[in-house]
Amino acid sequence: MTRDKHFYGWFFRLTLTIALQNLIVFSVSFADNIMLGAYSQDALSGVALVNQIQFILQMLTMGVGEGIVVLGAQFWGKRDTEPIKRITNCGLRIGLVISLLLWAAVFFFPHFCLSLFTNEERVIAEGMQYLRIICFSYPLFAFTNILLCSLRSVETVRIGFFVSLSTLMINVGLNYVLIFGNFGAPRMGSAGAAAATLTARAMEAVIVTAYLLLADKKLRLRPRDFLRLDHSLFKRYLKVGLPVIISNGLWGIGTAVQTAILGHMGDDAIAANSVASVVFQILTVVVYGAANASSIIIGKTIGQGAEKLVRLYAKTLQVLYLLLGVATGLCLFLVRDWVLGFYVISPESKQLASEFMMVLSVTCIGTAYQMSALTGIVRGGGDTKFVLFNDMIFVWLVVIPLSSLAAFVWGLPPMAVFIFLKCDQVLKCFVAAVKVNRFRWIRRLTD
């Protein structure tokens, strides 16, 4: 492990700042989750299904953004920001097209989209109320997060925290008013939660745009930078970014399919998975922050031409990932019953949620290592195709077939099915350890 104190300060500063941003982003979903859980279990379950569609958009959008970070961080290592502007232009166009296509699908076919996850009509009805409003936030979400990724590629990460904090405050405040009908407002339930989130997403876009135009001193993006497409750089971006977009998209779809498998096992399984997943996402924000920080550090160091440092940093990071995983797993195990006390759901749902969180408290150690190593080190080093192929094999040839057999053929209980759904988080660790320590992922993308 490196003894360079600057490295540890660099890593933890980036990790904690990105983690705080992610914490607040997930807290928006957690606030909806908690408040709708107090409103009704059907509302909670319906919105949980809609959030799977949002998760697909989030994964695709972050795939576009991570492509910007991988290329942009290497240019930032050379202190060359002009190509980063043109890369951001490429990513923004792709992200807006993706978000508009998803908006069209769910706006015109909401019942069909939700029926893919469950056959419970009460849950679908609640979800449709939420979906018809929240889908208008999709282009805003893509716009904001792709611009934040471009800023992240040049190590500007604090703005993301403040943007997300404003979103949380607006969302929670409006949730309180619109879900329950406080201060004379109509009692809107699921639709109120959607209206609150849409308003918060609009404010996000305004804040990020204002920051870029008035405060940013690194990229200095201006509207004219988005008028013309650099075709040669667009091809380079697609070569690096397209595998990331496809990988994230398949991962998002795979997660949605996994939710659908549990969704067809009854209301209690849907509610329990919703609670466990949101709590897990909140507690693993440091892990995701570590992966994003690693991508920036590795990419910038490669851009500087310091390959020996890249190898040393990669070895050190792997130890840090395992320590973070153990700490996160222990925390999740200890808080699971306390968190469940906030939910007004059936005793069966609470028991299932507790069991699901016990499984996650173990598998998150694997998540912390393999996800950070593969998406942070390997992808950040320029090898974006490996993660795509690895995810395709594990998700589509291992997890989904086994969990489908467990649920619909073998007739196993939800707890056993959930274990099959999460088994790849441990299995991928063996692949990640071999891949990272061979160092064949180090690639200069700026030459």
Side-chain angles (χ1 to χ4, degrees):
M1 294 180 67
T2 180
R3 296 181 180 180
D4 183 3
K5 293 181 180 179
H6 168 73
F7 166 80
Y8 291 104
W10 186 17
F11 171 75
F12 284 110
R13 184 177 66 253
L14 287 174
T15 295
L16 293 176
T17 305
I18 296 171
L20 282 172
Q21 180 194 347
N22 290 338
L23 175 62
I24 297 171
V25 169
F26 288 130
S27 295
V28 173
S29 298
F30 190 55
D32 284 352
N33 214 257
I34 288 285
M35 290 182 166
L36 287 169
Y39 181 75
S40 82
Q41 182 166 320
D42 286 342
L44 170 66
S45 299
V47 173
L49 298 184
V50 176
N51 283 339
Q52 292 304 311
I53 300 172
Q54 169 72 27
F55 183 70
I56 294 173
L57 173 66
Q58 182 177 332
M59 293 304 296
L60 287 169
T61 301
M62 295 313 297
V64 175
E66 286 172 27
I68 295 173
V69 171
V70 171
L71 261 178
Q74 292 203 17
F75 279 111
W76 178 239
K78 299 170 65 175
R79 285 299 189 268
D80 186 3
T81 58
E82 195 60 35
I84 303 177
K85 295 182 181 182
R86 300 198 294 272
I87 294 166
T88 302
N89 183 11
C90 300
L92 200 58
R93 291 173 184 239
I94 294 172
L96 289 175
V97 168
I98 290 171
S99 63
L100 289 171
L101 288 174
L102 192 58
W103 167 83
V106 300
F107 182 77
F108 292 108
F109 309 103
H111 189 280
F112 171 75
C113 291
L114 291 177
S115 67
L116 296 174
F117 298 97
T118 185
N119 50 14
E120 300 286 344
E121 286 297 328
R122 300 189 321 278
V123 175
I124 291 174
E126 287 286 351
M128 286 176 62
Q129 292 184 43
Y130 188 83
L131 185 57
R132 289 188 184 278
I133 298 172
I134 200 66
C135 65
F136 288 97
S137 73
Y138 291 174
L140 295 170
F141 178 85
F143 174 81
T144 300
N145 282 277
I146 289 170
L147 289 179
L148 287 175
C149 284
S150 70
L151 289 168
R152 189 178 293 173
S153 70
V154 296
E155 299 179 84
T156 301
V157 293
R158 289 184 181 178
I159 180 59
F161 166 73
F162 291 111
V163 167
S164 300
L165 182 61
S166 68
T167 302
L168 177 63
M169 294 171 65
I170 294 169
N171 192 68
V172 170
L174 289 177
N175 270 356
Y176 179 73
V177 173
L178 298 177
I179 291 176
F180 303 103
N182 290 309
F183 301 115
R187 184 180 172 89
M188 297 172 65
S190 301
T197 303
L198 175 59
T199 304
R201 296 297 182 208
M203 288 304 302
E204 271 186 348
V206 170
I207 293 170
V208 171
T209 302
Y211 178 84
L212 284 167
L213 294 176
L214 303 175
D216 176 53
K217 303 299 181 184
K218 293 180 181 177
L219 283 180
R220 299 180 184 275
L221 281 167
R222 294 295 179 266
R224 63 177 178 272
D225 295 319
F226 301 101
L227 297 177
R228 188 169 59 183
L229 189 66
D230 184 328
H231 293 283
S232 63
L233 201 57
F234 184 64
K235 291 178 181 177
R236 190 188 299 190
Y237 171 78
L238 286 179
K239 184 177 180 180
V240 173
L242 194 58
V244 184
I245 298 169
I246 296 173
S247 177
N248 279 22
L250 289 174
W251 177 259
I253 294 170
T255 302
V257 171
Q258 293 175 37
T259 301
I261 292 171
L262 287 172
H264 285 85
M265 299 186 76
D267 285 355
D268 290 331
I270 297 174
N273 185 51
S274 171
V275 173
S277 296
V278 171
V279 175
F280 174 72
Q281 287 174 337
I282 289 176
L283 289 177
T284 54
V285 290
V286 176
V287 173
Y288 290 101
N292 285 309
S294 302
S295 184
I296 296 168
I297 291 169
I298 294 295
K300 183 180 178 182
T301 308
I302 291 174
Q304 293 171 335
E307 186 172 328
K308 288 184 178 180
L309 275 181
V310 173
R311 290 171 176 263
L312 182 59
Y313 289 168
K315 292 177 181 178
T316 303
L317 286 169
Q318 291 176 76
V319 177
L320 296 177
Y321 299 154
L322 288 171
L323 294 174
L324 288 173
V326 171
T328 303
L330 182 61
C331 185
L332 180 58
F333 180 80
L334 294 175
V335 304
R336 69 190 192 285
D337 292 330
W338 175 74
V339 170
L340 288 172
F342 290 99
Y343 286 89
V344 184
I345 54 178
S346 68
E348 293 79 11
S349 295
K350 281 191 176 182
Q351 179 60 33
L352 266 182
S354 180
E355 293 174 358
F356 287 177
M357 283 191 273
M358 286 181 65
V359 174
L360 290 171
S361 67
V362 176
T363 61
C364 74
I365 300 173
T367 302
Y369 177 75
Q370 62 83 16
M371 189 270 293
S372 300
L374 293 174
T375 65
I377 296 174
V378 175
R379 186 183 282 173
D383 187 352
T384 57
K385 291 182 180 179
F386 180 83
V387 179
L388 168 61
F389 295 133
N390 189 59
D391 283 346
M392 286 177 64
I393 292 169
F394 276 100
V395 173
W396 296 99
L397 298 182
V398 178
V399 170
I400 290 178
L402 284 177
S403 55
S404 298
L405 287 171
F408 306 124
V409 178
W410 302 331
L412 298 181
M415 173 66 167
V417 174
F418 193 77
I419 291 173
F420 279 110
L421 288 171
K422 301 302 175 184
C423 68
D424 63 318
Q425 299 304 305
V426 176
L427 297 176
K428 285 181 183 177
C429 292
F430 302 101
V431 176
V434 173
K435 177 65 178 179
V436 171
N437 293 295
R438 284 183 174 178
F439 300 104
R440 295 175 184 172
W441 42 265
I442 301 175
R443 300 175 185 180
R444 289 181 65 89
L445 304 173
T446 57
D447 294 336

